[in-house]
Amino acid sequence: AQSVTQLDSQVPVFEEAPVELRCNYSSSVSVYLFWYVQYPNQGLQLLLKYLSGSTLVESINGFEAEFNKSQTSFHLRKPSVHISDTAEYFCAVTTRGGGGNKLTFGTGTQLKVEL
Amino acid sequence: KAGVTQTPRYLIKTRGQQVTLSCSPISGHRSVSWYQQTPGQGLQFLFEYFSETQRNKGNFPGRFSGRQFSNSRSEMNVSTLELGDSALYLCASSLGTGTRDNEQFFGPGTRLTVL
């Protein structure tokens, strides 16, 4: 079984400031890691994913996340946030290999960008 | 390509009733997964269907059931509704072939309110 911990339920930050949303996971097997974003009254959108290879993954809108196996972490960072980044962010894991799709999510971090 | 669609978007029911929610996946996707999102429990996996067969199941009571049709459309049913079933129900579709790049695409969700 896997579990995901997002320690920060809310993160307020001023526009153009850097931000880090923390994610730690626990699993007895190898996993794939994801960050999803949810805007109000909408479903989830995939922001970025780590499957294998380079431990640093980037999204098209400036977010990046680094897989750290020794610390079992997958923190999300952005060097300069925009008002439009205000949303809820979910970290998720799924087991590597076959066996179908079952995402285990963290409890989410509400990012609020202020002027 | 059209995205994942879910109907209805909003639903109000009373305790004891039953409800059926529908999900139409992206064309060509054979896997459909269902998730329940509540403020208290967060995002929880309900079940996954692939080629009309349930492939994975979460820890929900038997009142929650689902099925998938030959065109990959899926329905989930909740019988004997309880107040605690009030939630946003999200559907996600993917190719489902078990490849490492098996991204799940989420629909906008169905908001169920039980009175």
Side-chain angles (χ1 to χ4, degrees), chain A residues 9-27:
Chain A
S9 59
Q10 293 186 45
V11 174
V13 62
F14 288 108
E15 193 173 35
E16 297 184 4
V19 71
E20 179 180 80
L21 307 184
R22 296 179 293 170
C23 171
N24 289 88
Y25 70 93
S26 173
S27 177

Side-chain angles (χ1 to χ4, degrees), chain B residues 78-89:
Chain B
V78 188
S79 62
T80 319
L81 284 166
E82 301 177 359
L83 294 178
D85 297 333
S86 294
L88 181 66
Y89 290 88

Side-chain angles (χ1 to χ4, degrees), chain B residues 56-68:
Chain B
N56 278 300
K57 188 177 187 305
N59 296 322
F60 278 80
R63 299 186 298 108
F64 292 82
S65 63
R67 60 178 176 169
Q68 187 179 34

Side-chain angles (χ1 to χ4, degrees), chain B residues 24-97:
Chain B
S24 293
I26 291 171
S27 178
H29 285 191
R30 294 164 62 192
S31 167
V32 173
S33 299
W34 289 89
Y35 294 84
Q36 181 196 65
Q37 185 177 23
T38 60
Q41 299 298 317
L43 280 154
Q44 293 186 288
F45 173 79
L46 280 155
F47 30 65
E48 180 205 4
Y49 286 87
F50 177 75
S51 293
E52 302 179 65
T53 301
Q54 189 180 83
R55 186 161 69 171
N56 278 300
K57 188 177 187 305
N59 296 322
F60 278 80
R63 299 186 298 108
F64 292 82
S65 63
R67 60 178 176 169
Q68 187 179 34
F69 302 95
S70 58
N71 62 358
S72 293
R73 189 177 70 86
S74 176
E75 289 181 346
M76 69 162 281
N77 183 276
V78 188
S79 62
T80 319
L81 284 166
E82 301 177 359
L83 294 178
D85 297 333
S86 294
L88 181 66
Y89 290 88
L90 293 165
C91 161
S93 80
S94 70
L95 291 169
T97 55

Side-chain angles (χ1 to χ4, degrees), chain A residues 11-49:
Chain A
V11 174
V13 62
F14 288 108
E15 193 173 35
E16 297 184 4
V19 71
E20 179 180 80
L21 307 184
R22 296 179 293 170
C23 171
N24 289 88
Y25 70 93
S26 173
S27 177
S28 57
V29 298
S30 296
V31 297
Y32 297 136
L33 295 152
F34 306 84
W35 275 100
Y36 283 86
V37 59
Q38 186 176 35
Y39 299 99
N41 299 315
Q42 293 187 27
L44 299 171
Q45 298 173 31
L46 181 65
L47 193 58
L48 44 75
K49 59 189 175 186

Side-chain angles (χ1 to χ4, degrees), chain A:
Chain A
Q2 302 96 36
S3 66
V4 178
T5 302
Q6 292 181 250
L7 288 172
D8 306 305
S9 59
Q10 293 186 45
V11 174
V13 62
F14 288 108
E15 193 173 35
E16 297 184 4
V19 71
E20 179 180 80
L21 307 184
R22 296 179 293 170
C23 171
N24 289 88
Y25 70 93
S26 173
S27 177
S28 57
V29 298
S30 296
V31 297
Y32 297 136
L33 295 152
F34 306 84
W35 275 100
Y36 283 86
V37 59
Q38 186 176 35
Y39 299 99
N41 299 315
Q42 293 187 27
L44 299 171
Q45 298 173 31
L46 181 65
L47 193 58
L48 44 75
K49 59 189 175 186
Y50 172 76
L51 303 179
S52 65
S54 172
T55 57
L56 184 66
V57 291
E58 299 176 351
S59 72
I60 59 173
N61 56 356
F63 283 94
E64 64 180 30
E66 185 158 21
F67 169 58
N68 187 318
K69 188 174 183 180
S70 62
Q71 298 186 5
T72 60
S73 67
F74 191 54
H75 301 331
L76 181 70
R77 296 188 291 261
K78 190 171 186 181
S80 176
V81 296
H82 189 266
I83 285 285
S84 60
D85 294 324
T86 295
E88 189 149 24
Y89 293 78
F90 294 91
C91 183
V93 303
T94 190
T95 306
R96 283 177 174 268
N101 295 316
K102 178 183 175 182
L103 287 167
T104 300
F105 287 91
T107 51
T109 297
Q110 179 67 47
L111 175 63
K112 185 174 181 182
V113 182
E114 303 167 352
L115 292 171

